[in-house]
Amino acid sequence: MAKSKPKQARAWQRMLSGRRLDLLDPTPMDIEIEDIAHGLAFVARWNGQTKGDYAYSVAEHSLLVEALFGRLVPSAEPKWRLAALLHDAPEYVIGDMISPVKNAVGPGYEELDERLTAAIHIRFGLPAKTPTLIKTQIKKADTLSAWLEATEIAGFSVAESDRLFGKADPSVLQGHSISLRPPLQVREAFTARHKALLAEIG
């Protein structure tokens, strides 16, 4: 009697838009900003271990990173500000992992992240890979955001945050603080910012 072939594991995610996104081979045509905004608005940063009545979402974090990137690089083209807004976009399907977990998982997570990032970028007219300089500048904004989040809502002392993320430049952070809003408000803000940046790009 012939042995039946093992059933292949499902590798796609069904979105509320009706799209089916293949996580192992994502294509730009299956990516919608509404799905990204909705997913990120419900994904909690810091594994949800933050103060306040609402989780601090990846969507809220992304809005802050884009704003900080704009302050760090005021001459940046709108397309790079869009790249900053979308820097964590793959997490709408793969979730947010704190750095210690990413390190434990190994290169598999990073490869999945890179494939999704490329598809998302192409969908919205960005290069599949962000230029190294821009990526470094976005990472700097990301680290500044992490410092602010750590000290304001995640229970870290300033000294501990300085040690983990480096000392923050007060002039860059001036006027910025952590905002906690209901997920649907954050979803709308993220979608609106994405639309505005696309309009600037033309």
Side-chain angles (χ1 to χ4, degrees):
M1 185 175 177
K3 291 184 179 179
S4 59
K5 291 182 180 179
K7 189 176 180 182
Q8 190 173 7
R10 179 171 68 88
W12 54 266
Q13 164 80 44
R14 183 180 178 85
M15 303 297 166
L16 288 179
S17 65
R19 298 287 190 183
R20 284 190 180 190
L21 182 66
D22 186 334
L23 302 184
L24 300 181
D25 187 23
T27 60
M29 67 179 292
D30 289 322
I31 290 165
E32 301 291 349
I33 192 59
E34 292 79 12
D35 293 330
I36 293 174
H38 182 84
L40 295 185
F42 283 90
V43 174
R45 292 265 294 169
W46 303 94
N47 279 347
Q49 298 300 305
T50 51
K51 301 172 185 175
D53 294 332
Y54 298 103
Y56 185 70
S57 71
V58 175
E60 196 79 81
H61 162 78
S62 298
L63 288 163
L64 178 58
V65 168
E66 189 264 322
L68 292 172
F69 172 74
R71 183 168 285 184
L72 285 168
V73 194
S75 61
E77 297 176 54
K79 66 179 179 180
W80 301 134
R81 294 195 67 150
L82 179 59
L85 182 70
L86 297 172
H87 79 284
D88 277 339
E91 294 179 7
Y92 85 111
V93 285
I94 59 177
D96 179 46
M97 288 188 187
I98 59 174
S99 295
V101 177
K102 287 180 183 177
N103 294 335
V105 170
Y109 179 90
E110 187 175 347
E111 290 167 7
L112 191 59
D113 186 281
E114 287 175 357
R115 283 197 295 269
L116 285 162
T117 295
I120 291 165
H121 277 202
I122 292 168
R123 171 66 176 83
F124 300 116
L126 297 172
K129 279 197 170 187
T130 305
T132 301
L133 176 59
I134 300 297
K135 193 170 184 178
T136 300
Q137 292 166 333
I138 292 173
K139 183 61 181 176
K140 186 173 181 181
D142 189 32
T143 303
L144 281 168
S145 178
W147 186 95
L148 195 62
E149 295 162 26
T151 55
E152 289 196 6
I153 59 171
F156 290 66
S157 68
V158 170
E160 190 175 13
S161 295
D162 286 348
R163 187 171 68 253
L164 291 170
F165 308 109
K167 290 190 176 181
D169 183 346
S171 65
V172 179
L173 292 178
Q174 187 176 11
H176 289 290
S177 60
I178 298 304
S179 175
L180 296 175
R181 297 182 282 179
L184 296 187
Q185 285 185 23
V186 185
R187 182 184 69 184
E188 290 172 8
F190 186 94
T191 305
R193 186 58 185 150
H194 178 268
K195 182 179 180 181
L197 287 168
L198 281 183
E200 284 187 51
I201 294 169

